[in-house]
Amino acid sequence: MPRSLWIGAGAAPALAALSLLLPYQPVYDPWGWLVWGRELTRLDLATAQGMSWKPLPVLVDAPLSLLGSAAPLGWLFLARTGWLLAPLLAAWLAVRLAGEEIGRWRFVAAGLAAGSVALTADAFTPATRQFSGGLSEPLLVALVLGGVAAALAGRSRLGLWLGFGAALLRPECWPFLAIGAVWASRREPHLRPHALAVALLVPLAWFVPDLLGAGDPLAGSRTARGGPIEPLDAFPVLGRALAAPLAAAWIGVALFLFRRGRSRADRALMLILVGAAAWIALVAAMAVAGFAGLPRFLAPATAAIAVVGGVGVARAGVALGAGRHRFVAVATSLALAAAAVQLGVRSAEVPADLRDVDRQAMLVDGMFELATWVPSERLFYCGDRIRLANLLTPPTALAWKLDRPLASVRTVAHPEYGVALSTRYLPGERIAQIGRWRATDLGC
């Protein structure tokens, strides 16, 4: 592994730790994982309410819950480290697979791959929100790219266990992990116990907690298909996949296919590209089956396309510099122009995204202050649930703060009874008010 990658790998956790000084809060799912992690340590896991089950974050948050109020910072540190490592690994793969012979054009490959991974945004969760809020998709990309990098470096065991970590974040990883485990165990027989362990642990981690916490091993799957986001058919998912990476990455993919050879690096790039296509097809098929098909679920495929596209643009750039192949020269020029424009546009969106993040964090801070000031018995005197009448604030955060299960907090736009927390006027007895937040008793 090159020295530059070691330096970057060391800088990522350091920068992630510094980012904890920013006044940003987790988003919906990470708060829920923290609640489940705390319940797991108490052997009182309840997964019937909330989001769908995802093993890795909860298994990480279980020991983090011993940190008390600092547990959210622990998760944010890990998630943000993954966010920082993902573009670094994409850049390293692009440089490694582009070949030494392209000289300084390797930096173009690295920059295009890293930029497309770091600034990929979608209509639901911009990249800055994924970073600040601790979503798991950037960590998923880091695990997937890390597994590919380990396999290319001949460290199959490390690649297998990195793939195992990715498989505990998204079910789309399962077939890829299975293929990788079979291939590794056949090529290196001493890895068969590791492959067998992975084959046993993945279903245990996904289905047993829901069996114990909800009485149904498929509860997470049912929750994912019955969420508030309308499922899609395959065509919108395919459209999102086309729009996710930078346009320059797709031009680079075309350039790579036009000029690809039979070297080991080119075979690896073709496998990466085929894997990206298979991932997109899986997300589309799951959308047809009723799952959400959100753009961020395509993140590993987007990263893979960015790597191949970066290599394609960089290799074509050599031909551009030599004045060969007019078609290649035009396509490369278009790719570089598109990359500059799109990176500029997406970078310009960051300040507005951060202002939104700051506003949402202030809402959570205000809600926490109010919930701490009002006695718990007063909040729950009318039953075992409290109403949250602010649709922008995650109820999972309030459940964490109040040390209650997820089912104890319900988001209701227009609550009619019980105690409600809101940032607007509600008809009833005002129990307390701190800043914009009000606690209102609506009666039983």
Side-chain angles (χ1 to χ4, degrees):
M1 190 177 294
R3 182 181 177 185
S4 58
L5 187 60
W6 281 113
I7 294 173
L15 292 173
L18 284 175
S19 76
L20 299 179
L21 299 174
L22 298 170
Y24 301 145
Q25 297 280 7
V27 290
Y28 183 97
D29 284 7
W31 283 117
W33 300 329
L34 286 160
V35 172
W36 282 345
R38 182 169 58 196
E39 291 176 347
L40 190 60
T41 62
R42 299 172 179 174
L43 302 180
D44 188 25
L45 184 62
T47 63
Q49 299 292 326
M51 57 282 164
S52 58
W53 172 259
K54 193 173 285 186
L56 183 64
V58 180
L59 293 174
V60 169
D61 285 338
L64 288 178
S65 67
L66 301 177
L67 299 175
S69 61
L73 295 178
W75 170 255
L76 289 177
F77 168 75
L78 179 63
R80 291 174 184 176
T81 299
W83 193 98
L84 292 165
L85 284 175
L88 174 69
L89 288 165
W92 183 78
L93 281 171
V95 168
R96 177 186 175 94
L97 295 173
E100 296 286 340
E101 67 277 4
I102 66 172
R104 293 185 177 180
W105 279 93
R106 289 181 298 163
F107 297 108
V108 174
L112 179 56
S116 190
V117 171
L119 292 178
T120 294
D122 60 63
F124 293 90
T125 44
T128 47
R129 191 58 173 151
Q130 294 187 33
F131 174 81
S132 63
L135 283 171
S136 62
E137 280 73 22
L139 179 60
L140 170 66
V141 173
L143 289 169
V144 170
L145 295 182
V148 173
L152 289 175
R155 304 185 65 179
S156 301
R157 183 171 63 181
L158 175 60
L160 183 63
W161 285 106
L162 288 173
F164 170 72
L168 297 187
L169 282 172
R170 290 297 309 170
E172 291 90 348
C173 292
W174 299 351
F176 297 96
L177 179 62
I179 293 171
V182 170
W183 177 82
S185 59
R186 285 185 175 180
R187 187 178 179 183
E188 303 177 54
H190 68 276
L191 292 180
R192 289 174 183 172
H194 297 271
L196 179 61
V198 164
L200 293 174
L201 289 174
V202 168
L204 285 175
W206 276 95
F207 301 120
V208 171
D210 264 339
L211 177 62
L212 299 176
D216 179 3
L218 300 178
S221 174
R222 301 186 203 285
T223 300
R225 283 182 290 176
I229 299 173
E230 290 293 327
L232 305 171
D233 58 33
F235 292 105
V237 173
L238 297 177
R240 289 174 172 182
L242 289 172
L246 299 177
W250 284 115
I251 298 174
V253 168
L255 289 168
F256 164 72
L257 292 174
F258 178 71
R259 297 177 56 82
R260 72 184 178 95
R262 297 183 178 181
S263 66
R264 181 181 178 185
D266 281 20
R267 290 197 300 271
L269 286 165
M270 279 302 301
L271 282 175
I272 290 172
L273 191 57
V274 169
W279 188 288
I280 293 169
L282 274 174
V283 175
M286 292 177 71
V288 172
F291 295 90
L294 296 179
R296 67 174 186 266
F297 297 168
L298 297 163
T302 299
I305 292 165
V307 169
V308 178
V311 171
V313 171
R315 287 184 178 177
V318 176
L320 173 64
R324 299 193 305 268
H325 298 290
R326 182 175 299 178
F327 163 74
V328 171
V330 172
T332 306
S333 300
L334 286 175
L336 294 175
V341 171
Q342 286 190 283
L343 286 173
V345 169
R346 295 192 179 184
S347 298
E349 294 171 348
V350 169
D353 293 338
L354 288 177
R355 286 193 293 271
D356 289 339
V357 167
D358 190 53
R359 283 194 292 267
Q360 292 176 19
M362 290 177 64
L363 281 173
V364 173
D365 289 337
M367 179 182 67
F368 282 177
E369 188 176 358
L370 181 64
T372 303
W373 193 85
V374 181
S376 181
E377 60 271 14
R378 185 73 175 93
L379 291 173
F380 291 95
Y381 87 98
C382 196
D384 59 353
R385 280 188 177 181
I386 186 173
R387 277 74 185 167
L388 183 60
N390 187 302
L391 302 181
L392 296 178
T393 309
T396 49
L398 188 56
W400 165 264
K401 186 65 176 180
L402 297 175
D403 199 358
R404 297 272 183 152
L406 296 181
S408 66
V409 181
R410 182 183 178 189
T411 298
V412 183
H414 304 286
E416 298 178 353
Y417 63 92
V419 174
L421 301 188
S422 69
T423 54
R424 56 186 172 84
Y425 170 78
L426 293 176
E429 178 190 354
R430 185 181 302 176
I431 301 172
Q433 180 172 353
I434 296 178
R436 296 175 57 192
W437 280 97
R438 300 177 177 92
T440 305
D441 183 356
L442 305 175
C444 293

